[in-house]
């Protein structure tokens, strides 16, 4: 007779516990194939449970193929192949990935100071539900909802001076998704050039898509055209508006040289990643390369992650008409990966003017924050022993430290004092010491910056 201890109050029903006990006996070979299980009434009486509990447990075993019911004969154990080892309890899958949170993260801007327009976004969501009704449940075009593409086109014209048709815009679930889509569109057999130093995730995604990646060094104006020419690459992925991590804004001369490189041979394209273009603190945003292109060789990519929230996961790419036709012919079977409700909400957020008002507040916030932090550096023990580079756009700058210590040694020492820092060398393939630290202030608590600067000053002393 089968005898098990069944207990209530552990988050499982009694029938589920009984089913698991019998299943494990079958998996371990303790109940051999062909064994007749006790009748429902007999087992219920032995375990002190209802016959319904046993009946449900048997039903689950039969449904999963561990047992079978034979008319007028009872329930029998099925053959399941070789006995399976018992399932052992294991540590949580992600436990080894846990890290102690640093006291202050200067590289990623970590903190509680998140500038998200909660009240306006909530109001917009309610309006969309009220006005769109059941339309938010319907599928949209593979490129994204027409309303959102029209809103993006209008925004690009007003803010970036770009004349682009909504038909050319393809919405995706973040830049990473669009990188993969563009690889399928442009071809895996081609060589893709990326900036060095540069954002490592771009290289990672291209390599994950089985693409040959060439790392092209930068000079003071951006990606070296001569090195690009020598690399044999056919696709160049660049961020001319505000490069991460160097902060370089590519001048018109280099933009023209890159366009000439693309025009020199058929099949060459430039992916313009318009990173941080809307967060310029002095002067007007630099016109996109896309607006200068006369031969349909530039793909313009941007995202709302920096200006609204990374978790929104909405990005878009503007394609030249010829590539749009290729996309429609080859990849239109894809479904837009962004939830329709979020697309309608963002479209209304843009069309109402709330997005541009949010951008204006954001620019002022970051401009004031940057000015405060620069003054804190001037008043800190680091004054005269460091230099600030490329601080006029985006949400980060380079803090060049005058020290004889290596970047790696400074990182270790800073971590011991509770500071998470990264250097320019962390984004280079060569990993040469630079002494240039990435100072990201997007969500940084400025009240804690003076103490961080005092720590850095102490660490860089000879």
């Amino acid at each position: 007779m089968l005898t098990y201890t069944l207990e209530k109050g552990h988050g499982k029903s009694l029938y589920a516990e009984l089913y698991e006990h019998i299943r494990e006996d079958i998996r371990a070979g303790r109940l051999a194939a062909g064994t007749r299980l006790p009748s429902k009434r007999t087992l219920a009486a032995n375990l002190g449970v209802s016959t319904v509990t046993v009946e449900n447990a048997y039903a689950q075993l039969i449904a999963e193929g561990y047992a079978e019911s034979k008319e007028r004969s009872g329930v029998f154990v099925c053959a399941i192949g070789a006995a399976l080892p018992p399932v052992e309890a294991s540590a949580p899958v992600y436990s080894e990935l846990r890290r102690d949170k640093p006291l202050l993260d200067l590289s990623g801007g970590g903190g509680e100071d998140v500038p998200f327009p909660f009240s306006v976004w909530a109001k917009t969501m309610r309006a969309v539900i009220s006005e769109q009704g059941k339309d938010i449940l319907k599928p949209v075009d593979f490129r994204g909802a027409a309303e959102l593409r029209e809103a993006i086109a209008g925004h690009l014209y007003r803010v970036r001076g770009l004349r682009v048709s909504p038909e050319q815009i393809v919405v995706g679930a973040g830049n990473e998704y669009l990188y993969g889509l563009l690889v399928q569109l442009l071809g895996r057999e081609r060589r893709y050039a990326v900036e060095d130093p540069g954002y490592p995730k771009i290289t990672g995604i291209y390599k994950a898509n089985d693409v040959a990646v060439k790392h092209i060094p930068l000079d003071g104006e951006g990606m070296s055209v001569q090195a690009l020419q020598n690399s044999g690459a056919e696709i160049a992925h660049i961020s001319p508006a505000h490069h991460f991590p160097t902060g370089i804004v590519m001048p018109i001369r280099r933009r023209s040289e890159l366009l000439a490189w693309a025009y020199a041979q058929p099949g060459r394209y430039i992916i313009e990643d318009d990173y941080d273009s809307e967060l310029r603190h002095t002067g007007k945003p630099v016109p996109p390369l896309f607006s200068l292109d006369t031969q349909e060789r530039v793909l313009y990519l941007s995202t709302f992650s920096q200006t609204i929230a990374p978790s929104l996961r909405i990005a878009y790419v503007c394609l030249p008409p010829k590539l749009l036709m290729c996309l429609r012919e080859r990849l239109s079977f894809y479904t837009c990966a962004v939830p329709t409700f979020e697309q309608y909400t963002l479209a209304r957020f843009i069309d109402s003017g709330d997005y541009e008002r949010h951008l204006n507040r954001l620019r002022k916030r970051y401009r004031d924050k940057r000015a405060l932090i620069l003054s804190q550096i001037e008043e800190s023990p680091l004054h005269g022993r460091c230099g600030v580079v490329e601080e006029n756009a985006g949400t980060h700058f380079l803090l060049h430290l005058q020290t004889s210590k290596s970047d790696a040694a400074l990182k270790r020492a800073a971590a011991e004092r509770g500071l998470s820092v990264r250097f320019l060398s962390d984004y280079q393939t060569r990993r040469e010491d630079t002494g240039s630290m990435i100072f990201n202030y997007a969500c940084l608590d400025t009240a804690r910056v003076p103490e961080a600067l005092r720590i850095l000053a102490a660490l860089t002393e000879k």
Side-chain angles (χ1 to χ4, degrees):
M1 177 60 63
L2 301 179
T3 302
Y4 306 112
T5 301
L6 305 179
E7 298 180 7
K8 292 183 179 180
H10 293 283
K12 294 181 182 178
S13 59
L14 289 177
Y15 95 83
E17 284 196 56
L18 178 58
Y19 146 77
E20 289 180 357
H21 282 303
I22 299 175
R23 182 196 63 186
E24 292 310 310
D25 280 349
I26 295 172
R27 286 166 59 93
R30 290 187 290 270
L31 287 174
T35 301
R36 182 180 184 278
L37 297 179
S39 70
K40 290 177 285 188
R41 292 182 181 276
T42 301
L43 185 55
N46 184 57
L47 298 178
V49 298
S50 69
T51 55
V52 174
T53 297
V54 179
E55 183 176 4
N56 289 340
Y58 281 2
Q60 188 64 34
L61 290 166
I62 293 169
E64 295 185 16
Y66 288 102
E68 60 179 340
S69 177
K70 297 182 179 180
E71 191 175 355
R72 298 182 181 178
S73 298
V75 178
F76 294 82
V77 174
C78 291
I80 62 169
L84 300 173
V87 178
E88 297 180 359
S90 59
V93 174
Y94 296 107
S95 60
E96 62 183 276
L97 300 181
R98 292 174 184 167
R99 299 285 186 270
D100 292 334
K101 188 175 180 180
L103 296 176
L104 193 60
D105 184 355
L106 297 179
S107 61
E112 304 301 322
D113 191 16
V114 181
F116 183 78
F118 286 102
S119 60
V120 179
W121 192 259
K123 177 195 71 175
T124 307
M125 293 174 71
R126 290 192 296 269
V128 167
I129 292 174
S130 174
E131 296 177 15
Q132 297 289 140
K134 293 182 179 179
D135 285 345
I136 64 176
L137 305 178
K138 298 177 182 178
V140 297
D141 188 276
F142 77 99
R143 294 166 298 174
E147 290 86 343
L148 177 56
R149 290 185 283 114
E150 290 169 2
I152 290 172
H155 171 74
L156 287 175
Y157 177 69
R158 292 188 301 271
V159 176
R160 301 292 281 125
L162 267 184
R163 295 180 182 272
V164 58
S165 166
E167 297 299 310
Q168 295 174 253
I169 296 174
V170 179
V171 176
N175 278 357
E176 294 91 337
Y177 170 86
L178 291 175
Y179 295 159
L181 189 69
L182 293 181
V183 166
Q184 296 177 66
L185 177 64
L186 298 174
R188 286 188 170 86
E189 71 284 357
R190 302 190 182 197
R191 293 181 180 179
Y192 288 65
V194 298
E195 297 159 319
D196 185 14
Y199 190 43
K201 186 176 286 188
I202 297 173
T203 297
I205 292 171
Y206 282 148
K207 287 186 175 180
N209 280 276
D210 297 324
V211 162
V213 176
K214 295 292 182 178
H215 293 89
I216 310 300
L218 307 184
D219 56 27
E221 296 185 345
M223 181 179 280
S224 167
V225 179
Q226 185 60 55
L228 175 62
Q229 184 72 43
N230 296 338
S231 72
E234 300 161 279
I235 313 294
H237 189 132
I238 61 173
S239 48
H242 184 235
H243 175 259
F244 181 88
T246 65
I248 293 173
V249 177
M250 187 179 291
I252 185 64
R253 178 177 57 253
R254 181 56 51 85
R255 293 169 185 246
S256 299
E257 291 171 351
L258 283 169
L259 283 174
W261 167 84
Y263 297 160
Q265 289 187 16
R268 284 181 176 174
Y269 289 97
I270 297 172
I271 298 174
E272 179 181 16
D273 208 332
D274 205 31
Y275 176 78
D276 265 357
S277 66
E278 294 170 321
L279 299 177
R280 186 156 183 81
H281 307 308
T282 58
K284 294 182 178 180
V286 179
L289 199 63
F290 189 87
S291 66
L292 306 175
D293 180 23
T294 60
Q295 297 188 27
E296 299 190 7
R297 299 297 184 87
V298 179
L299 297 75
Y300 177 88
L301 186 75
S302 191
T303 178
F304 294 95
S305 295
Q306 285 290 99
T307 54
I308 299 181
S311 60
L312 186 63
R313 309 306 305 151
I314 299 182
Y316 60 91
V317 60
C318 301
L319 297 176
K322 289 181 182 178
L323 285 180
L324 180 63
M325 291 176 61
C326 292
L327 181 74
R328 186 181 295 279
E329 292 171 1
R330 294 165 46 194
L331 299 171
S332 61
F333 59 84
Y334 274 107
T335 300
C336 183
V338 180
T340 306
F341 178 41
E342 292 185 5
Q343 293 191 56
Y344 284 135
T345 302
L346 179 55
R348 186 180 180 90
F349 188 61
I350 295 171
D351 285 338
S352 66
D354 285 329
Y355 180 52
E356 289 186 32
R357 283 188 285 273
H358 169 66
L359 275 178
N360 290 333
R361 289 191 294 268
L362 210 58
R363 291 188 192 103
K364 183 179 185 307
R365 177 194 189 91
Y366 290 143
R367 196 161 48 238
D368 293 346
K369 226 174 169 179
R370 178 194 59 146
L372 175 58
I373 292 174
L374 292 179
S375 68
Q376 289 173 326
I377 294 173
E378 286 288 319
E379 298 166 3
S380 76
L382 274 177
H383 177 61
R385 296 163 47 200
C386 69
V388 175
V389 183
E390 302 294 351
E391 77 278 13
N392 292 323
T395 58
H396 81 280
F397 54 79
L398 295 181
L399 186 66
H400 185 72
L401 304 171
Q402 296 178 8
T403 177
S404 59
K405 297 180 180 178
S406 69
D407 294 354
L410 283 173
K411 281 180 65 176
R412 288 193 299 269
E416 291 172 358
R417 298 288 299 273
L419 292 184
S420 175
V421 299
R422 289 186 183 178
F423 287 83
L424 195 58
S425 56
D426 290 316
Y427 298 90
Q428 294 175 330
T429 56
R430 302 181 302 278
R431 296 280 178 168
E432 297 174 349
D433 286 331
T434 63
S436 294
M437 192 187 79
I438 315 297
F439 201 112
N440 191 322
Y441 55 86
C443 300
L444 199 61
D445 182 357
T446 53
R448 305 180 67 186
V449 171
E451 176 61 21
L453 294 174
R454 284 192 289 272
I455 293 173
L456 287 173
L459 295 178
T460 54
E461 288 179 350
K462 295 183 179 180

